[in-house]
Amino acid sequence: MTLTAPEPAAPTWDHRAAIAVYGTPAGQGAISFLGKGRGARHTNDKTLKPWRQAIVLATRDTTGCHGYTDFNGICLTCRTPKPDHGLYANIPTAVDITITVPKPKSAPKRRRTWPITRASSDIDHHARACLDALSLSGVIRDDSQITELAIRKVYPGEHPEALPTPGALIRLYTLAGAPE
Ligand SMILES: [Zn+2]
């Protein structure tokens, strides 16, 4: 008789939160350098900052999490050490993101269309903005703990997960059986 390793099974996930964020989604990617000693910023800082802030606030409202405020290595609010800080810290996490981008005025009203223009931004840049904001919100410790990511971009109302107006629906999952 030969012993064989069990077939690897896909993980099962506990749905933890559905975070609806309203605002104009902005991707996070291109960086412009401001010159010697003046640092760098995202080329779309003016739209990216409010979008990331909207994600942080919606995540805190929905889940009750809070951001880390340092006080000698522990959080001033909850006294958790920084390496363990986050509502779902240091456990395998999956994220499913639906970005609802504004539909151009010129697009056909009745027929379904797809956001494939430059104006809708690159899908990985949308992911970067959302994942950074999730870490900042305090719902997770760091986006390195995300082991699965699904993301799509759609126009308002044109997908089961689409919002009625521009924004994002972010679903957060933790590995089934992991401590809350
Ligand atoms: Zn805290």
PDB file of all heavy atoms in Angstrom, residues 53-72:
ATOM      1  N   GLN A  53      -9.086  58.302   1.132  1.00  0.00           N
ATOM      2  CA  GLN A  53      -9.696  58.712   2.391  1.00  0.00           C
ATOM      3  C   GLN A  53     -11.143  58.205   2.484  1.00  0.00           C
ATOM      4  O   GLN A  53     -11.582  57.763   3.548  1.00  0.00           O
ATOM      5  CB  GLN A  53      -9.641  60.235   2.527  1.00  0.00           C
ATOM      6  CG  GLN A  53     -10.105  60.772   3.875  1.00  0.00           C
ATOM      7  CD  GLN A  53      -9.266  60.292   5.055  1.00  0.00           C
ATOM      8  OE1 GLN A  53      -8.190  59.703   4.881  1.00  0.00           O
ATOM      9  NE2 GLN A  53      -9.766  60.484   6.264  1.00  0.00           N
ATOM     10  N   ALA A  54     -11.871  58.231   1.377  1.00  0.00           N
ATOM     11  CA  ALA A  54     -13.247  57.723   1.357  1.00  0.00           C
ATOM     12  C   ALA A  54     -13.264  56.232   1.686  1.00  0.00           C
ATOM     13  O   ALA A  54     -14.146  55.752   2.417  1.00  0.00           O
ATOM     14  CB  ALA A  54     -13.888  57.984  -0.004  1.00  0.00           C
ATOM     15  N   ILE A  55     -12.282  55.489   1.173  1.00  0.00           N
ATOM     16  CA  ILE A  55     -12.209  54.042   1.453  1.00  0.00           C
ATOM     17  C   ILE A  55     -11.918  53.815   2.940  1.00  0.00           C
ATOM     18  O   ILE A  55     -12.536  52.977   3.596  1.00  0.00           O
ATOM     19  CB  ILE A  55     -11.124  53.357   0.591  1.00  0.00           C
ATOM     20  CG1 ILE A  55     -11.429  53.521  -0.894  1.00  0.00           C
ATOM     21  CG2 ILE A  55     -11.005  51.878   0.949  1.00  0.00           C
ATOM     22  CD1 ILE A  55     -10.279  53.099  -1.819  1.00  0.00           C
ATOM     23  N   VAL A  56     -10.973  54.590   3.484  1.00  0.00           N
ATOM     24  CA  VAL A  56     -10.612  54.451   4.905  1.00  0.00           C
ATOM     25  C   VAL A  56     -11.843  54.702   5.781  1.00  0.00           C
ATOM     26  O   VAL A  56     -12.158  53.900   6.679  1.00  0.00           O
ATOM     27  CB  VAL A  56      -9.467  55.425   5.272  1.00  0.00           C
ATOM     28  CG1 VAL A  56      -9.290  55.514   6.782  1.00  0.00           C
ATOM     29  CG2 VAL A  56      -8.158  54.989   4.618  1.00  0.00           C
ATOM     30  N   LEU A  57     -12.560  55.795   5.529  1.00  0.00           N
ATOM     31  CA  LEU A  57     -13.721  56.152   6.361  1.00  0.00           C
ATOM     32  C   LEU A  57     -14.836  55.124   6.233  1.00  0.00           C
ATOM     33  O   LEU A  57     -15.430  54.715   7.234  1.00  0.00           O
ATOM     34  CB  LEU A  57     -14.225  57.553   5.990  1.00  0.00           C
ATOM     35  CG  LEU A  57     -13.262  58.697   6.308  1.00  0.00           C
ATOM     36  CD1 LEU A  57     -13.854  60.044   5.889  1.00  0.00           C
ATOM     37  CD2 LEU A  57     -12.898  58.730   7.798  1.00  0.00           C
ATOM     38  N   ALA A  58     -15.135  54.679   5.015  1.00  0.00           N
ATOM     39  CA  ALA A  58     -16.198  53.682   4.810  1.00  0.00           C
ATOM     40  C   ALA A  58     -15.830  52.370   5.496  1.00  0.00           C
ATOM     41  O   ALA A  58     -16.692  51.695   6.071  1.00  0.00           O
ATOM     42  CB  ALA A  58     -16.434  53.467   3.320  1.00  0.00           C
ATOM     43  N   THR A  59     -14.547  51.997   5.450  1.00  0.00           N
ATOM     44  CA  THR A  59     -14.102  50.749   6.084  1.00  0.00           C
ATOM     45  C   THR A  59     -14.254  50.836   7.602  1.00  0.00           C
ATOM     46  O   THR A  59     -14.734  49.895   8.245  1.00  0.00           O
ATOM     47  CB  THR A  59     -12.633  50.452   5.705  1.00  0.00           C
ATOM     48  OG1 THR A  59     -12.530  50.381   4.287  1.00  0.00           O
ATOM     49  CG2 THR A  59     -12.167  49.141   6.315  1.00  0.00           C
ATOM     50  N   ARG A  60     -13.890  51.990   8.164  1.00  0.00           N
ATOM     51  CA  ARG A  60     -14.036  52.161   9.627  1.00  0.00           C
ATOM     52  C   ARG A  60     -15.500  52.181  10.028  1.00  0.00           C
ATOM     53  O   ARG A  60     -15.887  51.576  11.029  1.00  0.00           O
ATOM     54  CB  ARG A  60     -13.313  53.437  10.065  1.00  0.00           C
ATOM     55  CG  ARG A  60     -11.799  53.274   9.983  1.00  0.00           C
ATOM     56  CD  ARG A  60     -11.052  54.523  10.402  1.00  0.00           C
ATOM     57  NE  ARG A  60      -9.603  54.307  10.252  1.00  0.00           N
ATOM     58  CZ  ARG A  60      -8.697  55.276  10.234  1.00  0.00           C
ATOM     59  NH1 ARG A  60      -9.079  56.544  10.365  1.00  0.00           N
ATOM     60  NH2 ARG A  60      -7.419  54.989  10.098  1.00  0.00           N
ATOM     61  N   ASP A  61     -16.348  52.876   9.252  1.00  0.00           N
ATOM     62  CA  ASP A  61     -17.794  52.930   9.535  1.00  0.00           C
ATOM     63  C   ASP A  61     -18.408  51.537   9.503  1.00  0.00           C
ATOM     64  O   ASP A  61     -19.227  51.186  10.347  1.00  0.00           O
ATOM     65  CB  ASP A  61     -18.517  53.784   8.476  1.00  0.00           C
ATOM     66  CG  ASP A  61     -18.455  55.262   8.818  1.00  0.00           C
ATOM     67  OD1 ASP A  61     -17.943  55.605   9.903  1.00  0.00           O
ATOM     68  OD2 ASP A  61     -18.921  56.068   7.993  1.00  0.00           O
ATOM     69  N   THR A  62     -18.026  50.738   8.522  1.00  0.00           N
ATOM     70  CA  THR A  62     -18.653  49.439   8.304  1.00  0.00           C
ATOM     71  C   THR A  62     -18.187  48.402   9.325  1.00  0.00           C
ATOM     72  O   THR A  62     -18.983  47.591   9.794  1.00  0.00           O
ATOM     73  CB  THR A  62     -18.330  48.923   6.878  1.00  0.00           C
ATOM     74  OG1 THR A  62     -18.724  49.922   5.938  1.00  0.00           O
ATOM     75  CG2 THR A  62     -19.065  47.626   6.575  1.00  0.00           C
ATOM     76  N   THR A  63     -16.898  48.421   9.655  1.00  0.00           N
ATOM     77  CA  THR A  63     -16.347  47.336  10.475  1.00  0.00           C
ATOM     78  C   THR A  63     -16.074  47.742  11.915  1.00  0.00           C
ATOM     79  O   THR A  63     -15.855  46.877  12.771  1.00  0.00           O
ATOM     80  CB  THR A  63     -15.016  46.822   9.882  1.00  0.00           C
ATOM     81  OG1 THR A  63     -14.020  47.854   9.994  1.00  0.00           O
ATOM     82  CG2 THR A  63     -15.177  46.421   8.420  1.00  0.00           C
ATOM     83  N   GLY A  64     -16.030  49.042  12.199  1.00  0.00           N
ATOM     84  CA  GLY A  64     -15.695  49.492  13.547  1.00  0.00           C
ATOM     85  C   GLY A  64     -14.206  49.479  13.844  1.00  0.00           C
ATOM     86  O   GLY A  64     -13.810  49.641  15.002  1.00  0.00           O
ATOM     87  N   CYS A  65     -13.386  49.292  12.817  1.00  0.00           N
ATOM     88  CA  CYS A  65     -11.940  49.289  13.046  1.00  0.00           C
ATOM     89  C   CYS A  65     -11.429  50.712  13.229  1.00  0.00           C
ATOM     90  O   CYS A  65     -12.159  51.684  13.021  1.00  0.00           O
ATOM     91  CB  CYS A  65     -11.219  48.618  11.875  1.00  0.00           C
ATOM     92  SG  CYS A  65     -11.201  49.594  10.350  1.00  0.00           S
ATOM     93  N   HIS A  66     -10.173  50.841  13.648  1.00  0.00           N
ATOM     94  CA  HIS A  66      -9.568  52.168  13.790  1.00  0.00           C
ATOM     95  C   HIS A  66      -8.111  52.115  13.350  1.00  0.00           C
ATOM     96  O   HIS A  66      -7.500  51.048  13.303  1.00  0.00           O
ATOM     97  CB  HIS A  66      -9.678  52.661  15.240  1.00  0.00           C
ATOM     98  CG  HIS A  66      -8.927  51.809  16.216  1.00  0.00           C
ATOM     99  ND1 HIS A  66      -9.511  50.748  16.856  1.00  0.00           N
ATOM    100  CD2 HIS A  66      -7.631  51.845  16.633  1.00  0.00           C
ATOM    101  CE1 HIS A  66      -8.611  50.169  17.646  1.00  0.00           C
ATOM    102  NE2 HIS A  66      -7.458  50.807  17.532  1.00  0.00           N
ATOM    103  N   GLY A  67      -7.568  53.272  13.072  1.00  0.00           N
ATOM    104  CA  GLY A  67      -6.183  53.351  12.624  1.00  0.00           C
ATOM    105  C   GLY A  67      -5.210  53.281  13.788  1.00  0.00           C
ATOM    106  O   GLY A  67      -5.556  53.588  14.934  1.00  0.00           O
ATOM    107  N   TYR A  68      -4.004  52.847  13.462  1.00  0.00           N
ATOM    108  CA  TYR A  68      -2.956  52.747  14.480  1.00  0.00           C
ATOM    109  C   TYR A  68      -2.376  54.126  14.773  1.00  0.00           C
ATOM    110  O   TYR A  68      -1.943  54.836  13.873  1.00  0.00           O
ATOM    111  CB  TYR A  68      -1.856  51.813  13.980  1.00  0.00           C
ATOM    112  CG  TYR A  68      -0.692  51.665  14.930  1.00  0.00           C
ATOM    113  CD1 TYR A  68      -0.777  50.802  16.025  1.00  0.00           C
ATOM    114  CD2 TYR A  68       0.489  52.384  14.736  1.00  0.00           C
ATOM    115  CE1 TYR A  68       0.286  50.667  16.895  1.00  0.00           C
ATOM    116  CE2 TYR A  68       1.558  52.254  15.607  1.00  0.00           C
ATOM    117  CZ  TYR A  68       1.452  51.394  16.688  1.00  0.00           C
ATOM    118  OH  TYR A  68       2.503  51.257  17.551  1.00  0.00           O
ATOM    119  N   THR A  69      -2.379  54.504  16.036  1.00  0.00           N
ATOM    120  CA  THR A  69      -1.731  55.741  16.465  1.00  0.00           C
ATOM    121  C   THR A  69      -0.631  55.369  17.440  1.00  0.00           C
ATOM    122  O   THR A  69      -0.906  54.818  18.505  1.00  0.00           O
ATOM    123  CB  THR A  69      -2.742  56.679  17.173  1.00  0.00           C
ATOM    124  OG1 THR A  69      -3.898  56.805  16.362  1.00  0.00           O
ATOM    125  CG2 THR A  69      -2.132  58.048  17.403  1.00  0.00           C
ATOM    126  N   ASP A  70       0.600  55.619  17.059  1.00  0.00           N
ATOM    127  CA  ASP A  70       1.722  55.103  17.842  1.00  0.00           C
ATOM    128  C   ASP A  70       1.915  55.823  19.177  1.00  0.00           C
ATOM    129  O   ASP A  70       1.881  57.040  19.267  1.00  0.00           O
ATOM    130  CB  ASP A  70       3.013  55.204  17.034  1.00  0.00           C
ATOM    131  CG  ASP A  70       4.162  54.513  17.756  1.00  0.00           C
ATOM    132  OD1 ASP A  70       4.089  53.277  17.891  1.00  0.00           O
ATOM    133  OD2 ASP A  70       5.096  55.206  18.204  1.00  0.00           O
ATOM    134  N   PHE A  71       2.101  55.006  20.223  1.00  0.00           N
ATOM    135  CA  PHE A  71       2.509  55.529  21.518  1.00  0.00           C
ATOM    136  C   PHE A  71       3.521  54.543  22.098  1.00  0.00           C
ATOM    137  O   PHE A  71       3.167  53.507  22.652  1.00  0.00           O
ATOM    138  CB  PHE A  71       1.297  55.683  22.456  1.00  0.00           C
ATOM    139  CG  PHE A  71       1.646  56.222  23.807  1.00  0.00           C
ATOM    140  CD1 PHE A  71       1.935  57.575  23.973  1.00  0.00           C
ATOM    141  CD2 PHE A  71       1.701  55.384  24.913  1.00  0.00           C
ATOM    142  CE1 PHE A  71       2.265  58.076  25.222  1.00  0.00           C
ATOM    143  CE2 PHE A  71       2.031  55.884  26.167  1.00  0.00           C
ATOM    144  CZ  PHE A  71       2.318  57.229  26.323  1.00  0.00           C
ATOM    145  N   ASN A  72       4.796  54.822  21.906  1.00  0.00           N
ATOM    146  CA  ASN A  72       5.873  53.923  22.334  1.00  0.00           C
ATOM    147  C   ASN A  72       5.680  52.480  21.871  1.00  0.00           C
ATOM    148  O   ASN A  72       5.853  51.541  22.645  1.00  0.00           O
ATOM    149  CB  ASN A  72       6.007  53.946  23.864  1.00  0.00           C
ATOM    150  CG  ASN A  72       6.478  55.310  24.363  1.00  0.00           C
ATOM    151  OD1 ASN A  72       7.217  56.004  23.660  1.00  0.00           O
ATOM    152  ND2 ASN A  72       6.060  55.686  25.562  1.00  0.00           N
TER     153      ASN A  72
END
